[in-house]
């Protein structure tokens, strides 16, 4: 035993000061290893759809219903099962309805409490008593533990449990107890949640989703391109701020900024109203949904155009500042011929729909006017001083990254940048070439610098520019296309210029050798591992499958966002991995929370089993199991040191 090992064991002996204490912990950890692994829930590309997200989170992609079926089988009717499921999802709201409609509320309380207790027993059975105890709501922890714990020494168990429930009703605590049990069931059904990118943009409620996630018991996040651009905006990067506002305007979601985050857009509105009042803004139409107030349409179109022009200027300056990004083909403002109303792209002139740009100086097209500079500085101050946005972005940094390796699954949002031959693409950063896993790592490193290196302005600027590159650069693993053709889509009539060519990765999705190469790159075996991937919607109605390479690659973006559902034909995929195997769930569009409560209309989900384990997967087979085995090994070394007299037991 060397000095370092001895030093570690002496430190460990403070926590386990006796042979008995160390032995007890070894027994405890060994028992945990033999428990079934917890259920993992995978969601991706939520895009601000807070109501559907909230519902899928509550029902665990059908996990709650499956537990109800397992527990009650044919002893409950389908109607009663639906009612129980709805109560578990929305206990407070459902109770309000029941109290108005139920003629004998005391009987309903008794029946419901019994069913909820049975469900709590089932969903908590795979966990240690200690873990369950930590999850119990403080106000009812003792009572719930009594109800779900088998008591061998009580002769009349039924009378004992009935008396507890009777007392809960008698002292008028039934409603609070039902809510507590329902929330506990939701909590215990899913042990860990994975969000595989793109919480922001399109839908109206990313701030609501992040409030929910920040309170969730166990979650990790793989950043999507739409997340990273908001993270850059929160850091104060002007090009990222312009992108965030432009997309919010385009999809009629400025309320997310103004009401959700309290960001003052009046400086931009005043500038747009003054500068673009008599300017044609038809190209900048708003893709709004039914909640959009059309009285704001004209104003929003002006703001949309104003921020878009500012964005193209800011991005042009950034591209010239960072020649290593190799994005000079995106410098288009200086390629406009205002007399012919054309723009030259890749050496060819194309007709433009709109060349009315009152703030663009043809001799110096990338220079912001003093008014534009003032607007952007005020917006920058609003973003960096928004406490709620900063809290959410710090959460994304603390719980997230560009990829995650977890229980033999590799999770990332976009792609592994590669050529059509399956060779990993290289990017030069600070004179060093990076590809594969190293590329992910260096981009992740610089993204964190862009937010946290406040004492090193140069490093912070470089990091923020890198965040923008991750958002839309041609070799970015979360973007995965040769260009972001925003300029062409707004201004160029010829739609061939709108094409964004996907990275070679997407043409090699069915090549098992390529998938194996990626798994190996991240240190995973190629037999039992999977890649879980988001970003590109799977078009089920065109016959596309989310399952590639015999189940090794799972692309679970199926259109969670309403903006994509017409294209995909469904409302998203989710993935559930439990101790029995993996299940892919395809969801139909979610009507509304109100309908789910009033009509007990759950999301219709079609699930199919991807993998079934021949033996039940235990904690010992997981990443947590690896850590527990190491802890057991260290404790066994401590026991040996105690027994050999190398370390002396502490007196109790």
């Amino acid at each position: 035993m060397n000095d370092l090992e001895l030093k570690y064991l002496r430190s460990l002996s403070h926590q386990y000061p006796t042979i008995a204490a160390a032995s007890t912990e070894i027994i405890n950890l060994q028992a945990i290893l033999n428990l079934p692994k917890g259920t993992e829930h995978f969601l991706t590309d939520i895009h601000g759809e807070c109501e559907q997200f909230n519902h899928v989170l509550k029902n665990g992609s059908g996990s709650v219903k499956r537990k109800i079926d397992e527990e009650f089988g044919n002893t409950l009717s389908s109607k009663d099962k639906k009612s129980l499921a709805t109560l578990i999802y929305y206990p407070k709201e459902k109770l309000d309805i029941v109290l108005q409609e139920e003629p004998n509320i005391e009987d309903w309380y008794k029946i419901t409490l019994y069913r909820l207790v049975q469900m709590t027993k089932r969903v908590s059975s795979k966990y240690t008593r200690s873990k369950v105890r930590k999850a119990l709501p403080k106000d009812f922890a003792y009572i719930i533990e009594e109800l779900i714990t088998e008591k061998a020494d009580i002769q009349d168990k039924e009378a004992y449990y009935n008396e507890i429930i009777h007392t809960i009703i008698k002292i008028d605590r039934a409603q609070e107890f039902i809510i507590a049990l329902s929330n506990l069931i939701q909590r215990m059904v899913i042990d860990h949640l994975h969000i595989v990118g793109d919480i922001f943009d399109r839908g109206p409620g990313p701030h609501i989703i992040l409030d929910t996630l920040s309170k969730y018991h166990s979650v990790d996040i793989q950043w999507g391109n739409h997340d990273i651009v908001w993270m850059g905006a929160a850091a104060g990067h002007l090009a990222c701020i312009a992108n965030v506002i432009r997309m919010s305007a385009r999809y009629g979601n400025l309320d997310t900024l103004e009401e959700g985050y309290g960001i003052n857009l009046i400086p931009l509105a005043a500038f747009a109203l003054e500068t673009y009042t008599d300017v044609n803004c038809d190209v900048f139409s708003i893709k709004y949904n039914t909640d959009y107030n059309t009285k704001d349409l004209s104003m929003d179109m002006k703001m949309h155009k104003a921020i878009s022009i500012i964005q193209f200027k800011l991005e042009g300056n950034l591209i010239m500042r960072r020649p290593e990004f190799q994005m000079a083909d995106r410098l288009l403002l200086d390629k406009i011929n205002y007399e012919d109303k054309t723009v030259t792209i890749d050496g060819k002139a194309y007709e433009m729909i709109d060349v009315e740009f009152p703030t663009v100086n043809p001799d110096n097209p990338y220079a912001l006017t003093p008014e534009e500079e003032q607007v952007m500085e005020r917006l920058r101050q609003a973003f960096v001083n928004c406490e709620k946005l900063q809290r959410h972005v710090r959460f994304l940094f603390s719980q997230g990254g560009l990829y995650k390796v977890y229980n033999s699954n590799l999770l990332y949002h976009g792609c592994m940048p590669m050529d059509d031959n399956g060779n990993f693409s290289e990017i030069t950063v600070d004179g060093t070439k990076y590809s594969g896993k190293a590329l992910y790592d260096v981009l992740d490193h610089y993204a964190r610098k862009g937010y946290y290196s406040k004492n090193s302005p140069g490093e912070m600027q470089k990091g923020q520019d890198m965040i923008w590159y991750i958002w839309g650069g041609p070799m970015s693993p979360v973007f995965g296309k040769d260009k972001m053709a925003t300029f062409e889509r707004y201004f160029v009539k010829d739609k061939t210029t709108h094409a964004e060519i996907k990275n070679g990765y997407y043409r090699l999705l069915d090549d098992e050798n390529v998938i194996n190469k990626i798994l190996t790159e991240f240190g995973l075996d190629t037999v039992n591992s999977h890649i879980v991937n988001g970003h590109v919607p799977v078009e089920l109605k065109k016959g596309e499958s989310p399952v590639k390479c015999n189940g090794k690659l799972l692309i679970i973006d199926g259109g969670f966002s309403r903006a994509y559902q017409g294209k995909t034909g469904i409302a998203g995929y989710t993935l559930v991995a439990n101790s029995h195997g993996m299940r892919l769930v395809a969801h139909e569009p979610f009507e509304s929370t109100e309908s789910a409560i009033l009509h007990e209309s759950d999301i219709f989900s079609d699930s199919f089993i991807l993998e079934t384990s021949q033996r039940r997967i235990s904690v010992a087979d997981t990443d947590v199991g690896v850590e527990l085995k190491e802890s057991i090994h260290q404790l066994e070394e401590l026991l040996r040191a105690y027994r050999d007299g190398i370390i002396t037991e502490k007196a109790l």
Side-chain angles (χ1 to χ4, degrees):
M1 183 182 298
N2 61 40
D3 290 343
L4 187 62
E5 289 171 329
L6 184 58
K7 187 176 181 180
Y8 174 78
L9 291 180
R10 289 190 190 283
S11 176
L12 191 63
S13 71
H14 292 297
Q15 191 174 355
Y16 304 100
T18 65
I19 288 175
S23 300
T24 300
E25 184 63 6
I26 289 171
I27 294 166
N28 177 48
L29 295 179
Q30 196 64 52
I32 293 172
L33 286 175
N34 290 284
L35 289 171
K37 80 173 280 289
T39 300
E40 298 171 58
H41 194 192
F42 302 74
L43 286 80
T44 187
D45 295 87
I46 303 159
H47 284 300
E49 296 293 347
C50 52
E51 282 203 353
Q52 178 163 330
F53 164 79
N54 190 48
H55 189 81
V56 169
L57 200 64
K58 286 175 177 293
N59 76 5
S61 287
S63 296
V64 170
K65 274 190 169 180
R66 282 193 292 277
K67 292 294 182 185
I68 291 173
D69 284 334
E70 290 171 11
E71 179 61 32
F72 297 106
N74 295 323
T75 64
L76 283 186
S77 67
S78 296
K79 183 178 183 301
D80 284 343
K81 287 178 182 177
K82 281 178 66 176
S83 294
L84 181 59
T86 304
L87 179 69
I88 291 170
Y89 306 154
Y90 304 101
K92 187 178 183 301
E93 295 84 351
K94 192 63 183 173
L95 274 168
D96 290 341
I97 296 170
V98 170
L99 289 170
Q100 295 175 26
E101 297 178 351
E102 184 59 49
N104 191 334
I105 194 64
E106 188 167 329
D107 277 355
W108 185 87
Y109 280 151
K110 287 178 183 176
I111 294 167
T112 301
L113 284 168
Y114 168 78
R115 290 172 179 170
L116 289 173
V117 168
Q118 291 302 108
M119 279 292 295
T120 306
K121 285 183 182 179
R122 176 165 286 274
V123 299
S124 62
S125 62
K126 66 161 68 173
Y127 303 114
T128 63
R129 190 175 297 182
S130 173
K131 185 165 185 174
V132 174
R133 191 178 291 126
K134 289 174 185 174
L136 296 176
K138 187 177 178 181
D139 289 351
F140 297 106
Y142 174 77
I143 302 170
I144 294 174
E145 192 167 1
E146 285 293 296
L147 287 169
I148 66 175
T149 304
E150 194 69 33
K151 300 211 171 293
D153 56 337
I154 296 177
Q155 292 183 350
D156 194 347
K157 296 177 187 175
E158 188 176 351
Y160 175 75
Y161 296 129
N162 284 344
E163 187 56 36
I164 293 175
I165 289 177
H166 173 73
T167 304
I168 291 167
I169 297 168
K170 182 181 176 182
I171 63 174
D172 198 24
R173 292 286 279 166
Q175 292 180 47
E176 291 82 359
F177 197 65
I178 286 169
I179 293 170
L181 283 175
S182 297
N183 290 334
L184 179 62
I185 291 165
Q186 288 182 40
R187 158 71 178 79
M188 301 305 288
V189 162
I190 300 299
D191 189 48
H192 187 80
L193 176 66
H194 305 281
I195 304 294
V196 195
D198 277 0
I199 296 166
F200 285 97
D201 293 326
R202 303 290 195 271
H207 55 294
I208 298 169
I209 293 166
L210 278 160
D211 276 341
T212 301
L213 289 175
S214 62
K215 297 170 188 171
Y216 202 76
H217 56 273
S218 184
V219 61
D220 60 63
I221 298 164
Q222 291 69 62
W223 306 328
N225 54 321
H226 287 272
D227 304 319
I228 202 79
V229 73
W230 277 76
M231 293 158 71
H237 192 258
L238 296 183
C240 291
I241 290 171
N243 270 282
V244 163
I245 297 173
R246 178 186 63 79
M247 285 184 290
S248 296
R250 182 173 178 80
Y251 290 94
N253 278 333
L254 290 173
D255 283 351
T256 299
L257 287 165
E258 293 180 296
E259 297 176 15
Y261 284 111
I263 289 173
N264 182 11
L265 296 179
I266 290 176
L268 176 62
F271 167 76
L273 195 61
E274 180 179 347
T275 309
Y276 289 85
T277 293
D278 299 320
V279 174
N280 188 333
C281 297
D282 290 349
V283 169
F284 293 86
S285 58
I286 308 298
K287 296 184 178 182
Y288 56 84
N289 57 34
T290 54
D291 298 329
Y292 180 78
N293 190 338
T294 52
K295 73 177 179 61
D296 299 325
L297 188 58
S298 176
M299 181 74 257
D300 286 355
M301 288 171 68
K302 290 179 175 61
M303 292 171 69
H304 186 187
K305 185 167 187 176
I307 198 65
S308 297
I309 299 302
I310 291 173
Q311 176 190 314
F312 297 135
K313 290 182 178 185
L314 290 167
E315 290 180 335
N317 285 305
L318 194 162
I319 291 166
M320 290 185 284
R321 183 168 71 243
R322 301 288 179 198
E324 65 270 26
F325 288 173
Q326 298 183 14
M327 295 177 66
D329 62 310
R330 296 290 82 212
L331 297 172
L332 296 174
L333 285 181
D334 60 321
K335 310 295 191 303
I336 298 171
N337 184 320
Y338 288 91
E339 291 182 4
D340 296 344
K341 293 186 178 181
T342 61
V343 61
T344 300
I345 302 172
D346 295 330
K348 182 179 177 180
Y350 292 92
E351 180 185 350
M352 290 184 68
I353 302 167
D354 180 7
V355 292
E356 196 172 357
F357 308 145
T359 69
V360 176
N361 177 359
D363 296 326
N364 190 9
Y366 299 106
L368 267 66
T369 65
E371 294 79 12
E372 287 173 326
E373 286 183 349
Q374 185 179 44
V375 166
M376 290 311 299
E377 176 55 26
R378 291 181 68 180
L379 288 170
R380 190 187 71 81
Q381 290 291 336
F383 272 80
V384 299
N385 292 314
C386 175
E387 189 279 329
K388 187 173 187 177
L389 178 60
Q390 297 302 323
R391 175 162 41 85
H392 285 168
V393 167
R394 286 194 299 272
F395 171 74
L396 288 172
F397 274 111
S398 66
Q399 299 301 120
L402 282 174
Y403 70 92
K404 181 82 171 177
V405 176
Y406 193 99
N407 290 344
S408 297
N409 294 315
L410 170 59
L411 285 64
Y412 53 68
H413 178 71
C415 67
M416 169 61 78
M418 59 177 54
D419 63 23
D420 285 339
N421 295 318
N423 301 308
F424 296 154
S425 300
E426 290 183 334
I427 297 179
T428 301
V429 181
D430 277 349
T432 303
K433 291 182 178 180
Y434 296 90
S435 64
K437 179 178 179 294
L439 172 59
Y440 276 86
D441 289 335
V442 74
L443 292 177
D444 189 294
H445 170 72
Y446 273 98
R448 295 178 194 279
K449 278 193 170 189
Y451 187 78
Y452 287 109
S453 295
K454 300 187 190 303
N455 295 325
S456 179
E459 288 296 296
M460 192 170 191
Q461 180 68 67
K462 189 188 297 181
Q464 290 181 9
D465 287 352
M466 193 64 77
I467 288 175
W468 175 85
Y469 183 88
I470 298 169
W471 150 245
M475 291 300 165
S476 164
V478 299
F479 178 55
K481 298 176 184 177
D482 68 328
K483 64 182 178 183
M484 192 175 286
T486 308
F487 183 96
E488 291 91 332
R489 288 170 185 258
Y490 279 124
F491 300 126
V492 181
K493 192 172 185 179
D494 188 336
K495 290 188 177 180
T496 62
T497 65
H498 301 183
E500 298 172 343
I501 300 171
K502 291 179 182 175
N503 186 268
Y505 171 86
Y506 295 103
R507 290 181 285 282
L508 298 169
L509 294 177
D510 293 308
D511 188 330
E512 195 163 343
N513 291 326
V514 169
I515 301 306
N516 287 341
K517 182 179 178 181
I518 296 171
L519 289 169
T520 302
E521 175 73 4
F522 285 87
L524 292 166
D525 76 80
T526 59
V527 178
N528 301 307
S529 302
H530 311 85
I531 296 173
V532 182
N533 198 170
H535 189 52
V536 176
V538 177
E539 298 185 47
L540 183 68
K541 68 181 187 181
K542 287 187 178 180
E544 290 185 5
S545 171
V547 183
K548 309 286 185 182
C549 293
N550 299 314
K552 287 186 179 181
L553 173 62
L554 307 168
I555 302 178
I556 61 169
D557 178 9
F560 214 100
S561 168
R562 293 177 192 269
Y564 295 122
Q565 288 171 12
K567 182 179 180 182
T568 62
I570 57 170
Y573 290 105
T574 54
L575 185 67
V576 176
N578 58 25
S579 57
H580 299 289
M582 300 184 83
R583 179 186 296 269
L584 188 70
V585 185
H587 301 281
E588 293 295 322
F590 181 59
E591 185 177 344
S592 68
T593 301
E594 183 182 14
S595 177
I597 296 165
L598 289 175
H599 308 301
E600 298 180 343
S601 57
D602 206 345
I603 293 180
F604 178 77
S605 303
D606 184 20
S607 68
F608 61 92
I609 296 171
L610 290 171
E611 273 183 13
T612 303
S613 178
Q614 292 182 347
R615 62 173 183 81
R616 198 167 187 191
I617 304 166
S618 67
V619 172
D621 303 312
T622 67
D623 293 347
V624 170
V626 172
E627 294 174 9
L628 294 180
K629 288 172 188 175
E630 177 59 25
S631 296
I632 289 170
H633 171 70
Q634 297 298 338
L635 286 164
E636 287 173 341
E637 290 296 309
L638 178 62
L639 275 182
R640 191 173 294 110
Y642 279 143
R643 287 168 177 159
D644 291 345
I646 298 171
I647 298 175
T648 305
E649 290 185 86
K650 309 293 187 297
L652 295 179

